[in-house]
């Protein structure tokens, strides 16, 4: 009898230890690439169980209303507290822009870009020099190519830019020339 009781107790203790070792707490996991300034909600996060000993990651259920990403994040990344801001940034806008050439393979959501306007017309017989239109633009996504865009040799990108840069960018997109996106840094 004592042997049977010891076996039952050891099985229960082992089961309890394995359950505790496997268990963790629920945190947020990013389900797709997220760019700086993007709203964080159920469309790009989900609950994930993880064993974390620090308080650096946001526990599931504590995502503030209207939270935005303060840095770019990749698929499967746990949501760090430092990567979340509770205030919506009203000084930025999103805009679709057609750029004259594609982006390097290294450009992904969150890449900081410069937008340049390259005039195609000549003023007084000389071509105008390219000019910087916006210097701190964040790539949100590259849009899927469609027939019309492919035939024009351009790429449509969605960007996040400061409200102050919006008039210059809109003027450039409607101007007699092309807009080019150049990644900042290496």
């Amino acid at each position: 009898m004592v042997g049977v009781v010891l076996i039952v107790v050891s099985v229960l203790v082992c089961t309890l230890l394995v359950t505790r070792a496997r268990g963790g707490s629920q945190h947020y996991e990013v389900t797709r690439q997220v760019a700086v300034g993007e709203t964080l909600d159920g469309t790009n996060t989900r609950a994930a169980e993880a064993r974390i000993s620090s308080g650096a990651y946001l526990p599931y259920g504590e995502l503030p209303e209207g939270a935005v990403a303060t840095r770019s994040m990749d698929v499967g990344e746990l949501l760090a507290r430092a990567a979340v801001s509770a205030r919506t940034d009203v000084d930025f806008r999103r805009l679709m822009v057609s750029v004259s050439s594609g982006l390097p393979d290294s450009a992904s959501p969150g890449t900081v870009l410069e937008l340049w306007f390259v005039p195609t017309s000549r003023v007084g017989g000389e071509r105008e020099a390219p000019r910087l239109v916006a210097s701190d633009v964040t790539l949100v996504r590259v849009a899927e190519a469609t027939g019309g865009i492919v035939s024009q040799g351009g790429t449509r990108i969605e960007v996040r830019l400061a409200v102050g840069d919006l008039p210059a960018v809109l003027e450039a997109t409607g101007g007699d020339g092309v807009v080019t996106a150049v990644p900042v840094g290496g």
Side-chain angles (χ1 to χ4, degrees), residues 1-185:
M1 273 310 238
V2 173
V4 171
V5 170
L6 286 175
I7 292 173
V8 169
V9 168
S10 66
V11 168
L12 290 174
V13 169
C14 285
T15 303
L16 179 65
L17 288 175
V18 169
T19 302
R20 280 195 177 173
R22 281 186 170 178
S25 55
Q26 287 196 333
H27 291 78
Y28 288 94
E29 177 183 35
V30 178
T31 58
R32 62 174 174 77
Q33 286 185 326
V34 173
V36 175
E38 190 169 341
T39 301
L40 296 167
D41 55 25
T43 64
N44 52 16
T45 63
R46 69 173 171 223
E49 196 158 311
R51 263 186 91 88
I52 299 173
S53 59
S54 77
Y57 295 96
L58 194 64
Y60 190 75
E62 293 186 20
L63 188 64
E65 186 73 29
V68 294
T70 60
R71 67 174 178 82
S72 297
M73 291 173 271
D74 223 349
V75 177
E77 196 172 324
L78 290 178
L79 193 56
R81 288 181 189 273
V84 177
S85 175
R87 67 178 184 87
T88 303
D89 203 339
V90 296
D91 296 331
F92 290 89
R93 298 290 185 271
R94 285 182 170 206
L95 181 67
M96 291 299 290
V97 179
S98 292
V99 293
S100 63
S101 58
L103 295 166
D105 290 338
S106 61
S108 60
T111 299
V112 177
L113 306 170
E114 291 178 339
L115 294 180
W116 287 79
F117 177 69
V118 182
T120 54
S121 63
R122 296 181 183 270
V123 176
E126 290 190 26
R127 187 176 296 234
E128 288 183 64
R131 71 178 189 275
L132 182 64
V133 178
S135 61
D136 190 18
V137 176
T138 304
L139 176 65
V140 175
R141 69 182 174 95
V142 177
E144 294 295 320
T146 61
I149 294 171
V150 172
S151 65
Q152 296 172 2
T155 303
R156 287 188 51 84
I157 60 173
E158 183 178 354
V159 295
R160 177 180 176 267
L161 65 151
V163 170
D165 290 333
L166 195 55
V169 172
L170 291 173
E171 180 183 344
T173 58
D176 190 15
V178 294
V179 176
T180 301
V182 180
V184 176

